[in-house]
Coordinates of all heavy atoms in Angstrom, one line a residue:
R80 N 49.6 33.3 -36.3 CA 48.2 33.1 -36.3 C 47.5 34.4 -36.3 O 47.6 35.2 -35.4 CB 47.6 32.3 -35.1 CG 48.3 30.8 -35.0 CD 47.7 30.0 -36.2 NE 48.2 28.6 -36.0 CZ 49.2 28.0 -36.6 NH1 50.1 28.7 -37.3 NH2 49.5 26.6 -36.3
V82 N 44.7 36.4 -35.5 CA 43.4 36.1 -34.7 C 43.1 37.3 -33.9 O 44.0 38.1 -33.4 CB 43.8 34.9 -33.6 CG1 42.5 34.8 -32.6 CG2 44.1 33.6 -34.3
Y101 N 40.0 30.3 -23.6 CA 40.4 31.4 -24.5 C 39.6 31.2 -25.7 O 39.3 30.1 -26.1 CB 41.9 31.3 -24.9 CG 42.2 31.9 -26.2 CD1 43.2 33.0 -26.2 CD2 42.0 31.2 -27.4 CE1 43.5 33.6 -27.5 CE2 42.3 31.8 -28.7 CZ 43.1 32.9 -28.6 OH 43.6 33.4 -29.8
Q105 N 39.9 33.6 -36.1 CA 41.0 33.5 -36.9 C 40.7 33.6 -38.4 O 39.6 33.1 -38.9 CB 41.7 32.2 -36.7 CG 42.9 31.9 -37.6 CD 43.9 30.9 -37.1 OE1 44.8 30.6 -37.7 NE2 43.6 30.3 -36.0
H116 N 53.1 24.0 -36.1 CA 53.7 24.0 -34.8 C 52.8 23.2 -33.9 O 51.8 22.5 -34.3 CB 53.6 25.5 -34.2 CG 52.4 26.2 -33.9 ND1 52.1 27.6 -33.6 CD2 51.1 25.6 -33.9 CE1 50.8 27.8 -33.4 NE2 50.2 26.7 -33.6
H118 N 51.8 22.5 -29.4 CA 51.9 23.1 -28.1 C 51.1 22.2 -27.1 O 50.2 21.6 -27.6 CB 51.5 24.6 -28.1 CG 50.4 25.0 -29.0 ND1 49.0 24.6 -28.7 CD2 50.2 25.7 -30.0 CE1 48.2 25.0 -29.6 NE2 48.9 25.6 -30.5
R124 N 38.4 24.2 -33.3 CA 38.0 25.2 -34.3 C 36.5 25.0 -34.6 O 36.0 23.9 -34.6 CB 38.7 25.1 -35.6 CG 40.1 24.4 -35.5 CD 41.3 25.5 -35.6 NE 42.3 24.9 -35.0 CZ 43.3 25.5 -34.2 NH1 43.1 26.6 -33.7 NH2 44.4 24.7 -33.8
H157 N 50.0 21.1 -36.0 CA 48.9 21.6 -36.8 C 49.4 22.8 -37.5 O 50.2 23.7 -37.2 CB 47.7 21.9 -36.0 CG 48.1 22.7 -34.8 ND1 48.6 22.3 -33.6 CD2 47.7 24.1 -34.6 CE1 48.7 23.3 -32.8 NE2 48.0 24.4 -33.3
H159 N 47.5 25.5 -40.9 CA 46.3 25.8 -41.8 C 46.6 26.4 -43.0 O 47.8 27.0 -43.3 CB 45.4 26.8 -41.0 CG 45.4 26.5 -39.6 ND1 44.7 25.5 -39.0 CD2 45.6 27.3 -38.6 CE1 44.7 25.5 -37.6 NE2 45.3 26.7 -37.4
D171 N 38.5 29.9 -32.8 CA 39.2 29.1 -32.0 C 38.9 29.0 -30.6 O 38.4 30.0 -30.0 CB 40.6 29.7 -32.0 CG 41.4 29.6 -33.4 OD1 41.4 28.5 -33.9 OD2 42.1 30.5 -33.9
L173 N 40.5 27.6 -27.1 CA 41.7 26.8 -26.4 C 41.6 26.9 -24.9 O 41.0 27.8 -24.3 CB 43.2 27.5 -26.9 CG 43.5 27.3 -28.3 CD1 43.0 28.4 -29.2 CD2 45.0 27.1 -28.4
I175 N 44.1 27.8 -23.0 CA 45.2 28.6 -22.7 C 45.3 29.1 -21.2 O 46.2 28.9 -20.6 CB 45.3 29.8 -23.6 CG1 45.8 29.3 -25.0 CG2 46.3 30.9 -23.2 CD1 45.7 30.4 -26.1
Ligands
LIG401 C1 47.1 28.4 -32.1 O1 48.0 27.4 -32.2 C2 46.1 28.6 -32.9 O2 46.8 26.9 -34.4 C3 45.1 29.6 -32.9 O3 45.3 28.0 -35.2 C4 45.1 30.4 -31.8 C5 46.1 31.0 -29.6 C6 47.2 31.0 -28.7 C7 48.2 30.0 -28.9 C8 48.1 29.0 -30.1 C9 46.0 27.7 -34.2 C10 46.1 30.2 -30.8 C11 47.1 29.2 -31.0

Side-chain angles (χ1 to χ4, degrees):
R80 296 295 186 264
V82 179
Y101 156 108
Q105 180 158 177
H116 67 193
H118 37 70
R124 335 262 166 219
H157 54 283
H159 321 294
D171 286 317
L173 288 94
I175 287 171

